[in-house]
Amino acid sequence: MQFLKYTVIRLGIFLIVFFCLWQLMAWPIFLAGLIGLVVAFAVSYLFFNKLRLAAGQDVQKLFARTNSPKSAKQLADEEIEDSFDEEQRKNGQ
């Protein structure tokens, strides 16, 4: 949940800066986008550090959950592949 909140805040900062530079100040779209990215990064890094760290923990938990334990068949297959690979290396192929 913190990841979503952090993402929305960064996107909001980017869009506000981008829109102000592009529409109100008539800057070129590429330059306005680049400045918007830099400002959004800097503001979120400096002022939303706790939220950024919590979002990082959310992402870490998400990826840690996706690693399911291997079945006995998968482990046996990996051992057969490893032994074949080692034998090929010993034979110089």
Side-chain angles (χ1 to χ4, degrees):
M1 185 63 182
Q2 299 300 321
F3 176 74
L4 183 61
K5 184 190 273 186
Y6 182 69
T7 302
V8 168
I9 288 172
R10 277 186 78 170
L11 185 61
I13 293 169
F14 167 76
L15 289 175
I16 289 170
V17 172
F18 173 74
F19 182 76
C20 288
L21 292 176
W22 182 46
Q23 290 293 323
L24 301 178
M25 298 180 71
W27 284 32
I29 192 167
F30 177 75
L31 189 58
L34 188 63
I35 299 295
L37 284 174
V38 170
V39 169
F41 170 76
V43 168
S44 63
Y45 189 80
L46 292 173
F47 297 108
F48 300 112
N49 192 36
K50 289 181 183 177
L51 189 59
R52 179 179 59 86
L53 294 174
Q57 288 177 347
D58 281 355
V59 172
Q60 184 180 13
K61 288 177 189 174
L62 178 69
F63 282 106
R65 245 188 320 183
T66 59
N67 295 336
S68 59
K70 295 181 180 181
S71 68
K73 182 175 179 358
Q74 288 174 325
L75 292 172
D77 286 345
E78 286 179 359
E79 187 162 331
I80 292 170
E81 290 170 358
D82 290 343
S83 64
F84 178 76
D85 187 42
E86 288 297 323
E87 190 172 319
Q88 293 296 319
R89 289 181 189 192
K90 286 179 184 177
N91 293 335
Q93 294 180 349

